[in-house]
Amino acid sequence: MTSGDAAPELDPVIHAQARLRVMVTLSALGEGDEIAFPSLKDLLGMTAGNLSVHLTKLEEAGYVRITKTHRGRTPVTYVSMTTRGRLALEDYTKAIRSLLDSAGGNP
Amino acid sequence: MTDDGERASSPEETLRLIERQRAATVKALNGDPLLLYTPWGVAWLLGFGAFFLHYGLHGVPYAPITWQLALGILLAAQLVAGAFMATGLVRLSSAIRGESSAKGMMYGYAWFVGMVLMTVINIRFSSMLPPEERGLMWSGVSLLVVAVLYMACGALYTQWPMFFMGVWVAAVNGLGVILGPGWHALLTAVLLGGGQIVTGILLRRRA
């Protein structure tokens, strides 16, 4: 980023449109809630492959938790946001806001 | 960025993206307000409308509708409304698990327990009332349960429209019980039935 004076660092894991959308979607769930992978995929309108790649990145960063389990005989994958992920998204949003303010742009 | 996650561009655009995504998610997770409110509105409009025609405002029926027929219309319409709501809830409950699904389950049982208790109380006491007051006792007490659980739902999911709908049901129900069976049926049909239909349409439009 080259936004001039002491621009806040933007978390590179979140600062990619697709992963930002994943993070925002997960943050809208209640705390302690998990969403099934296919539902998340539909909410985001992503392909399963694409979403998997981004989730892996977010999991590596410790922002999301992926739980593989079974419902009856069918395997189901649930995704939830970790506390660390919530904090990271909060920081990211704050950083974006302060960028906007320091740019002196229209709110 | 080296991967396929294209960078979100300007801060303005990024903020807009966050807002848009959050709104879309909340909307998807809350279910369609049109399915949540409007079928109940239609059920009450038809059911209590039939009761109103049965009672009349001055003790003289406006149409040859027996109370059994009116009750049948109300119950059948409520069954349809419940089915609409259940399809939405089942879809949601397969998507989300965790604390909110536990909340949802307890809330669902609260309806069941409330309605069972309402039935027990009404069966015990309505036989002691003069026949023309019995129906009012049934609808008054059942709407008490509905009002309280709507407000509880608003509190549980921080949904102001649902909370105010509960307050509205309580107020109209109270007024109707004071005014008597004919008025109660009329007010419930028009203000609560109509109110739910309008609320569902307005919330859907706004979303």
Side-chain angles (χ1 to χ4, degrees):
Chain A
M1 295 298 289
T2 49
S3 307
D5 44 300
E9 285 268 320
L10 288 176
D11 187 334
V13 180
I14 305 181
H15 194 58
Q17 194 165 327
R19 284 196 295 276
L20 176 59
R21 290 180 59 225
V22 174
M23 291 288 280
V24 171
T25 301
L26 291 176
S27 76
L29 299 180
E31 266 194 272
D33 276 352
E34 301 175 291
I35 186 165
F37 182 88
S39 309
L40 181 61
K41 177 178 77 78
D42 294 344
L43 269 179
L44 291 164
M46 290 184 187
T47 63
N50 201 356
L51 179 56
S52 289
V53 171
H54 291 303
L55 283 178
T56 309
K57 280 234 163 76
L58 291 170
E59 193 185 24
E60 280 165 5
Y63 293 169
V64 306
R65 190 179 305 112
I66 295 169
T67 317
K68 291 186 159 61
T69 175
H70 287 265
R71 182 179 258 187
R73 279 187 191 166
T74 33
V76 220
T77 302
Y78 284 98
V79 186
S80 63
M81 188 170 236
T82 62
T83 313
R84 191 168 165 187
R86 271 180 206 280
L87 291 177
L89 182 62
E90 242 172 65
D91 287 345
Y92 178 82
T93 314
K94 261 185 223 153
I96 288 283
R97 286 234 160 83
S98 71
L99 266 182
L100 204 57
D101 292 343
S102 67
N106 19 358
Chain B
M1 288 270 108
T2 51
D3 62 309
D4 53 345
E6 345 71 76
R7 257 172 186 271
S9 25
S10 73
E12 288 97 333
E13 256 172 69
T14 307
L15 267 190
R16 230 174 294 137
L17 177 77
I18 291 175
E19 288 311 320
R20 221 181 316 131
Q21 189 65 37
R22 182 161 292 149
T25 310
V26 168
K27 187 180 153 197
L29 293 180
N30 281 343
D32 188 340
L34 203 60
L35 291 185
L36 212 58
Y37 292 92
T38 309
W40 291 104
V42 173
W44 289 3
L45 191 62
L46 292 178
F48 285 99
F51 269 110
F52 167 65
L53 296 177
H54 163 74
Y55 287 125
L57 282 186
H58 308 287
V60 185
Y62 293 133
I65 294 176
T66 60
W67 69 264
Q68 289 95 332
L69 178 60
L71 185 65
I73 293 173
L74 179 63
L75 291 182
Q78 290 196 128
L79 224 56
V80 174
F84 268 109
M85 203 170 173
T87 47
L89 292 181
V90 165
R91 197 177 49 81
L92 276 187
S93 75
S94 68
I96 308 283
R97 71 167 193 177
E99 256 166 59
S100 74
S101 63
K103 269 190 201 171
M105 199 173 66
M106 283 187 251
Y107 181 67
Y109 281 122
W111 273 98
F112 178 71
V113 172
M115 285 303 171
V116 168
L117 180 63
M118 179 279 289
T119 308
V120 170
I121 291 173
N122 278 326
I123 288 175
R124 174 89 169 96
F125 291 105
S126 67
S127 59
M128 301 173 187
L129 289 172
E132 66 275 14
E133 297 286 329
R134 284 177 195 162
L136 183 58
M137 168 129 190
W138 277 91
S139 40
V141 179
S142 62
L143 286 181
L144 162 74
V145 177
V146 171
V148 170
L149 284 172
Y150 271 27
M151 289 187 274
C153 178
L156 199 57
Y157 299 105
T158 338
Q159 295 249 9
W160 285 102
M162 195 54 110
F163 178 79
F164 285 125
M165 184 55 75
V167 174
W168 182 233
V169 172
V172 173
N173 187 33
L175 182 65
V177 167
I178 292 169
L179 294 176
W183 278 104
H184 186 273
L186 177 63
L187 294 179
T188 304
V190 176
L191 295 182
L192 297 185
Q196 298 234 60
I197 294 173
V198 172
T199 305
I201 293 171
L202 286 183
L203 288 178
R204 166 68 169 261
R205 278 226 184 133
R206 212 180 60 180

